[in-house]
Amino acid sequence: MTGVGQPSSVRDRIEVVRGDITTLSVDAIVNAANSSLLGGGGVDGAIHRAAGPRLLAECRLLGGCEPGEAKVTAGYDLPARWVIHTVGPAWRGGRAGEEVTLAECYRQSLMAARDLGAGSVAFPSIATGIYGFPLARAIPIVLREVRNHLAVEALPARVTLVCFDAETHEAYLEALGRA
Ligand code: AR6
């Protein structure tokens, strides 16, 4: 049990939900972007549509983003105050450093959230859509990086892992022992 004034456990600070990340009232949402940062399909397209054209205007000033890096913009018309854009690895069979790059996406995004002072941050399942990173290989990396960060940092206080489709949602719940 967590008493008044005691820090919550890492476990209690991680939440898995099924839904559309653009609707969440959190301090920051993470975008699974591409290196241009100029929009695309999947969650990237949904975030740009929901945030409005001012998001693209700010992204144009950022000069792109390398895989594993994270860059911050405002959230504009989104409920979230900030968008943390990161670029996952396109899957090339697993021998091109994809797992290291995916870990770096989560690590850099969590550091960006901390530096913003964000209390809450929501992640999509980076790289497991159009980029083809196998979900079963991604989830242990995601959970390891989120847990490692929360074990040593107070911010973000809460991390929401957002699953758009049923398969992703079930796989996350199972990995967390909450199925
Ligand atoms: N909310 C939450 N998750 C979503 C949403 C949403 N609204 N829409 C899709 N997802 P993907 P990637 C899930 O393809 O694999 C873009 O064109 C989706 O079901 O969006 O990193 C970029 O510009 C999947 O589980 O991102 C890049 O070119 C997860 O988000 C490329 O796609 C990630 O799927 C990046 O590919």
Side-chain angles (χ1 to χ4, degrees):
M1 271 248 302
T2 304
V4 174
Q6 287 180 340
S8 343
S9 71
V10 165
R11 180 188 163 89
D12 293 343
R13 292 164 64 193
I14 304 173
E15 175 188 37
V16 172
V17 300
R18 183 158 178 214
D20 177 354
I21 201 167
T22 65
T23 66
L24 298 185
S25 295
V26 288
D27 294 329
I29 63 171
V30 177
N31 183 16
N34 61 64
S35 291
S36 77
L37 293 186
L38 300 181
V43 69
D44 192 10
I47 288 172
H48 275 270
R49 277 193 298 280
R54 290 177 296 167
L55 178 62
L56 180 59
E58 186 176 355
C59 283
R60 285 192 194 286
L61 307 174
L62 297 179
C65 186
E66 294 298 315
E69 247 193 308
K71 294 196 176 178
V72 174
T73 65
Y76 299 102
D77 297 339
L78 290 164
R81 181 167 172 195
W82 295 291
V83 180
I84 300 168
H85 305 263
T86 190
V87 179
W91 184 255
R92 293 191 176 89
R95 292 197 184 88
E98 294 96 322
E99 294 188 327
V100 172
T101 304
L102 186 68
E104 204 58 29
C105 288
Y106 283 87
R107 207 175 301 145
Q108 296 296 326
S109 297
L110 288 161
M111 302 276 258
R114 180 202 65 184
D115 293 346
L116 288 165
S120 54
V121 63
F123 282 87
S125 180
I126 296 164
T128 67
I130 292 165
Y131 276 178
F133 197 115
L135 187 60
R137 287 177 74 160
I139 291 175
I141 296 169
V142 176
L143 297 182
R144 182 190 74 214
E145 294 306 326
V146 171
R147 285 170 173 151
N148 284 350
H149 182 93
L150 296 183
V152 293
E153 300 285 352
L155 287 177
R158 294 191 63 79
V159 172
T160 303
L161 302 171
V162 184
C163 307
F164 196 59
D165 55 279
E167 182 201 351
T168 303
H169 190 220
E170 280 158 25
Y172 266 94
L173 289 176
E174 197 170 318
L176 279 166
R178 298 179 193 177

